[in-house]
Amino acid sequence: MEPAEVEFLAEKELVTIVPNFSLDRIHLIGGDLGPFNPGLPVEVPVWLAINLKQRQKCRLIPPEWMDVGKLEEIRDQERKEDTFTPMPSPYYMELTKLLLNYASDNIPRADEIRTLVKDTWDTRMAKLRLSADSFVRQQEVHAKLDNLTLMEINTTRTFLTQALDHMYKLRTNLQPGESSHSQDF
Amino acid sequence: MAEAYFPVGPGLGMEENFLSLDDILMSQEKLPGRAESSLPRLALLLGQGAGSGESVPEGSKLEIPLWLAKGLHDSKRRIISVELPKIYREAWRTVFSADANVVDLHKMGPYYYGFGSQLLNFENPENPEIAQTILQATVSDSVCSPQTFVARFRRIMDSSQNAYNEDTSALVARLDELERALFQVGQKGLNDFQCWEKGQASQITASSLVQNYGKRKLAEVDG
């Protein structure tokens, strides 16, 4: 799975926009949107919000969590705890990137938000590496990672699963049963 | 093009994968052994003399590729006996358990794990120790002494996922083939993410197949 595909999934998340045009309710596969009235906030998926924004047909209202104070709190919480803390959105990284790239003029203190989210990401990735290491060291066979987001899983997924696969094979090499000598000449 | 190409990977167990190119190369590696009975008219083949009619006397030392050793080895009919290569012996195993990270597995291998796994076929009394050295953290009296694969895991993970846009040849030089594949996978994860973050994923680029095609065409015109 590529990051672009993860982003594709993230674009289904809903954000609030303030349109500057009027349009009746539109019926799409997967849900009805609208009606759109100038100046009235309405919830739409991110992909539509970005498209409308690029055509200068709306103003974007940042999600509630995309706020310097809240993100600082999240970052500090993340640094304090050993396990992964719940994130404000399952696609926090993707949404930050998309919204800041296409609608940074609608988001107050955009550059600070970018830094904070990046800090949180780095903390979590370091934590992920640390826990993967101790997982391998202790020869565990299962783990629970509740609050990891898809993008984070995706960056280390192939590496980790392949390493564990090698480990499993090396570990079961000597065990009788599956590869016992059934063919004796 | 890499997505549409599915090479057969190495088996890494007691059995190799028949069509895996890596496994075929791995089973070419030589293994020290000794002839337990005389082998008539094989001296030339086994590199023991000149004449094609000469036989290999009983008890002579041989260097046999792994695939042949596997075929000739039998616990009952004693044709050849196989000795452990020195990197799988006690002395080297101690080195590995001291610090697996300092060992140049590419020089020792380059199929350290695969070859070692295959060695377990020869019913050597030291088998459990070999298997343990290759991978396992020995859990004896709750003291974990991490062994080769486990001990090197962290280094491979960190170097593959932190080295962005760097020359990785120095990092990779000491890795065994299996570890190199793992390193590449880690690098790809990092590179894909970084590209996405910079917004390069949304740009359409020519596939490497087409780029190579263009080059070949030019070469043909020149020639």
Side-chain angles (χ1 to χ4, degrees):
Chain A
M1 199 172 186
E2 279 176 30
E5 293 170 272
V6 182
E7 187 185 87
F8 179 79
L9 296 177
E11 283 173 344
K12 291 189 179 34
E13 290 287 292
L14 295 177
V15 286
T16 311
I17 57 164
V18 180
N20 56 17
F21 61 95
S22 52
L23 186 72
D24 268 344
R25 227 173 143 70
I26 49 174
H27 307 286
L28 302 179
I29 298 179
D32 297 348
L33 297 177
F36 298 88
N37 288 309
L40 286 184
V42 58
E43 277 206 330
V44 295
V46 172
W47 57 266
L48 185 63
I50 287 172
N51 187 281
L52 289 174
K53 174 76 191 168
Q54 282 176 325
R55 294 179 357 214
Q56 299 184 344
K57 295 227 181 256
C58 74
R59 178 163 60 84
L60 208 133
I61 297 181
E64 210 181 307
W65 54 267
M66 210 176 273
D67 169 76
V68 174
K70 287 205 175 103
L71 285 172
E72 267 170 355
E73 217 169 88
I74 289 167
R75 182 195 59 185
D76 294 341
Q77 180 75 9
E78 189 66 54
R79 285 185 179 163
K80 243 188 285 162
E81 293 206 15
D82 285 336
T83 52
F84 297 95
T85 53
M87 282 287 109
S89 153
Y91 300 103
Y92 74 101
M93 195 66 194
E94 298 89 316
L95 290 185
T96 314
K97 187 219 161 196
L98 284 170
L99 299 187
L100 290 185
N101 277 6
Y102 295 104
S104 55
D105 50 336
N106 294 150
I107 297 167
R109 302 162 82 179
D111 43 347
E112 281 172 66
I113 288 175
R114 206 186 284 268
T115 322
L116 281 170
V117 170
K118 188 78 190 135
D119 278 355
T120 315
W121 169 271
D122 287 342
T123 316
R124 287 168 70 90
M125 288 312 275
K127 229 187 244 185
L128 182 59
R129 244 175 253 137
L130 200 71
S131 55
D133 183 47
S134 65
F135 180 81
V136 166
R137 242 163 232 287
Q138 287 156 28
Q139 308 259 316
E140 300 284 355
V141 286
H142 57 84
K144 188 168 146 185
L145 296 160
D146 280 343
N147 297 315
L148 219 52
T149 66
L150 183 57
M151 190 56 104
E152 289 156 349
I153 295 172
N154 197 51
T155 45
T156 45
R157 167 163 55 216
T158 24
F159 177 81
L160 198 60
T161 49
Q162 218 174 83
L164 294 179
D165 194 35
H166 290 329
M167 226 172 78
Y168 171 76
K169 282 185 188 159
L170 291 175
R171 192 187 342 205
T172 46
N173 261 345
L174 259 194
Q175 277 166 16
E178 47 190 341
S179 57
S180 66
H181 304 275
S182 55
Q183 291 182 324
D184 248 327
F185 302 113
Chain B
M1 196 165 69
E3 294 92 47
Y5 171 56
F6 304 103
V8 179
L12 196 68
M14 291 282 268
E15 288 304 318
E16 307 142 287
N17 278 345
F18 188 74
L19 291 174
S20 162
L21 290 178
D22 271 325
D23 273 350
I24 293 173
L25 287 174
M26 181 267 287
S27 67
Q28 293 284 329
E29 301 264 322
K30 294 280 172 59
L31 202 59
R34 194 178 287 278
E36 291 288 319
S37 54
S38 68
L39 308 167
R41 284 183 290 176
L42 284 175
L44 191 65
L45 271 170
L46 296 173
Q48 291 279 313
S52 58
E54 278 178 54
S55 64
V56 177
E58 186 183 333
S60 52
K61 274 194 168 174
L62 300 169
E63 289 266 301
I64 332 160
L66 174 73
W67 58 268
L68 187 59
K70 253 176 100 179
L72 292 177
H73 179 79
D74 192 326
S75 51
K76 289 175 209 140
R77 282 216 318 267
R78 300 187 61 81
I79 303 171
I80 53 159
S81 66
V82 171
E83 281 160 32
L84 284 182
K86 68 172 194 297
I87 55 160
Y88 297 99
R89 284 200 207 137
E90 174 84 55
W92 268 99
R93 289 207 301 267
T94 321
V95 175
F96 279 112
S97 60
D99 188 359
N101 277 311
V102 300
V103 187
D104 185 341
L105 274 193
H106 192 72
K107 222 164 82 192
M108 300 289 159
Y111 299 100
Y112 175 77
Y113 299 107
F115 198 73
S117 305
Q118 287 293 307
L119 282 181
L120 304 179
N121 281 311
F122 298 112
E123 286 150 32
N124 196 294
E126 289 172 58
N127 268 0
E129 286 85 13
I130 301 174
Q132 219 140 56
T133 313
I134 295 174
L135 157 84
Q136 270 169 306
T138 6
V139 190
S140 56
D141 309 327
S142 78
V143 182
C144 281
S145 77
Q147 303 288 304
T148 313
F149 185 79
V150 172
R152 290 165 71 98
F153 172 78
R154 180 73 197 254
R155 265 259 305 253
I156 299 171
M157 177 168 64
D158 284 354
S159 57
S160 73
Q161 306 206 330
N162 278 320
Y164 182 57
N165 266 344
E166 272 178 48
D167 180 18
T168 53
S169 52
L171 296 171
V172 168
R174 294 152 67 88
L175 299 184
D176 141 280
E177 289 297 318
L178 185 87
E179 293 174 337
R180 282 187 186 190
L182 207 53
F183 185 91
Q184 296 304 339
V185 167
Q187 276 264 291
K188 187 173 179 303
L190 172 77
N191 279 341
D192 284 352
F193 175 74
Q194 299 279 2
C195 280
W196 170 79
E197 204 177 30
K198 285 193 297 184
Q200 283 171 352
S202 51
Q203 287 165 15
I204 298 172
T205 48
S207 99
S208 58
L209 181 67
V210 177
Q211 284 174 345
N212 286 337
Y213 182 67
K215 270 181 204 158
R216 200 166 302 161
K217 253 192 163 170
L218 268 181
E220 272 167 23
V221 170
D222 288 343

